[in-house]
Amino acid sequence: MITKQRYISVFAICLLLVFAGCAGLAPQNTVTQISTIDALLTGAYDGSMTCGELLKHGNLGIGTFDRLDGEMVMADGVVYQVRADGKVYAADKTLTTPFAAVCRFSPDRAVAFAPGATYEQVQAALDKAAPNTNLFCAIDITGTFSRMHTRSVPAQTKPYPPLAQVTSHQPEFVMENVSGRIVGFRSPAYVKGIGVPGYHLHFISEDRTQGGHILAFEMANGAGAVDVCDRFLLLLPGKDAMFGAADLSVDRAKELEAVEK
C-alpha cells in the first residue's frame, strides 16, 4: 500500500521530471553535440544554435562560434569565447555555434596527476580512472601549468575555406606559470566523422583572460574529475544550407589530425 507521504514524494519527483522536460534540460550522463566534425572540416561555419539554447543541454563543454569566430569554453554554466587575439570574452547568449559538445557535468571520480605531468601523462591518468574507452568521458581539471600551448581561430568570411586551411595559419599562444581550467571530452574511436575520437580539450585561465584549444602543456600541479557518459545526442542543423551541401562521404581523418594537433 502506498502511504500518503510516499504518494506526495512520488508526485513531487514526477513534477520535477516534468518541469525538467519542459525546460528542455538534458539528462545526466549525456553528451549533446551540435552538428558533426566532418561538416566543420568542410567549412560549414554558419551557427545553428544560440549559446542560450546550448546551455539547456549542459554546463560544461567546448566548441566554436558562428563564422568560426574563436574557441568556446563552457565552464560552470558560463560560455566564454577565446578569439583569435588570444583574449577571453563572455559570450552573449544570442551568439550561435556551428559545432559544440556539452554535458551536464556530474563527476564520477576524482583524478590526481603527478607534478610536472605532460599532456600525454595526464591522458594516461585519465584513461586509468575511466578505462572504458567505448564510452564518452567528460573532463574537468583545475591546475597550475608551467607551460600551456593553445590556439584559436579567426572569424571567416564566405566562401568559407576548409578548416585545415584556416588552422594552417592559426594564431598560437604560449602561457607560462598560468593557473586555470581544462574542460573537454574523450570520445570513442567509433565517432570518427561525427566527433573527435580521443581527447579534445580547451583551456581558460583562472583570471579569464587567456585560453584556447589545447595543443600541449606541462602541469606543475593539479587535480581533476571525470564524468563517464553512456548517452550521446546528436543535433543536426537540418535547416542549414551549408550543412546540407557538405560532402560527408570523404574520409577526413588526416585533415582532423592536422587540425587537432
Side-chain angles (χ1 to χ4, degrees), residues 15-58:
L15 281 178
L16 286 173
L17 291 173
V18 169
F19 288 140
C22 291
L25 300 178
Q28 298 284 3
N29 302 322
T30 301
V31 175
T32 301
Q33 183 177 296
I34 313 306
S35 191
T36 70
I37 191 63
D38 272 11
L40 196 73
L41 286 168
T42 68
Y45 305 148
D46 286 344
S48 62
M49 178 180 286
T50 67
C51 290
E53 184 69 19
L54 187 64
L55 285 166
K56 294 180 181 180
H57 297 280

Side-chain angles (χ1 to χ4, degrees), residues 145-227:
F145 303 86
S146 54
R147 185 175 183 272
M148 174 62 70
H149 183 190
T150 65
R151 71 106 191 275
S152 188
V153 281
Q156 302 297 301
T157 56
K158 292 181 178 180
Y160 297 138
L163 186 56
Q165 183 176 327
V166 174
T167 57
S168 67
H169 306 287
Q170 66 190 7
E172 297 185 17
F173 317 101
V174 176
M175 296 155 260
E176 295 183 347
N177 301 317
V178 60
S179 296
R181 189 104 165 254
I182 292 174
V183 300
F185 298 92
R186 185 194 68 193
S187 299
Y190 57 76
V191 302
K192 177 183 175 182
I194 296 174
V196 179
Y199 285 90
H200 186 185
L201 305 177
H202 289 187
F203 174 76
I204 188 167
S205 62
E206 186 177 35
D207 61 7
R208 302 297 190 256
T209 62
Q210 306 173 87
H213 171 99
I214 294 176
L215 298 174
F217 64 77
E218 294 174 5
M219 176 186 286
N221 57 76
V226 294
D227 180 9

Side-chain angles (χ1 to χ4, degrees), residues 52-210:
E53 184 69 19
L54 187 64
L55 285 166
K56 294 180 181 180
H57 297 280
N59 56 11
L60 178 145
I62 54 178
T64 187
F65 296 89
D66 182 55
R67 299 182 299 117
L68 205 68
D69 190 10
E71 304 285 352
M72 177 190 294
V73 180
M74 180 191 289
D76 298 327
V78 180
V79 181
Y80 299 95
Q81 181 181 20
V82 186
R83 288 181 173 164
D85 59 5
K87 297 180 181 179
V88 176
Y89 303 83
D92 190 278
K93 290 185 178 181
T94 61
L95 285 180
T96 57
T97 176
F99 178 84
V102 301
C103 75
R104 196 162 301 285
F105 191 81
S106 178
D108 289 317
R109 57 189 67 94
V111 187
F113 305 107
T118 63
Y119 191 1
E120 292 74 19
Q121 290 169 333
V122 165
Q123 290 181 36
L126 292 168
D127 286 344
K128 185 176 180 180
N132 187 345
T133 56
N134 288 327
L135 296 177
F136 292 82
C137 183
I139 296 153
D140 189 0
I141 298 171
T142 300
T144 299
F145 303 86
S146 54
R147 185 175 183 272
M148 174 62 70
H149 183 190
T150 65
R151 71 106 191 275
S152 188
V153 281
Q156 302 297 301
T157 56
K158 292 181 178 180
Y160 297 138
L163 186 56
Q165 183 176 327
V166 174
T167 57
S168 67
H169 306 287
Q170 66 190 7
E172 297 185 17
F173 317 101
V174 176
M175 296 155 260
E176 295 183 347
N177 301 317
V178 60
S179 296
R181 189 104 165 254
I182 292 174
V183 300
F185 298 92
R186 185 194 68 193
S187 299
Y190 57 76
V191 302
K192 177 183 175 182
I194 296 174
V196 179
Y199 285 90
H200 186 185
L201 305 177
H202 289 187
F203 174 76
I204 188 167
S205 62
E206 186 177 35
D207 61 7
R208 302 297 190 256
T209 62
Q210 306 173 87

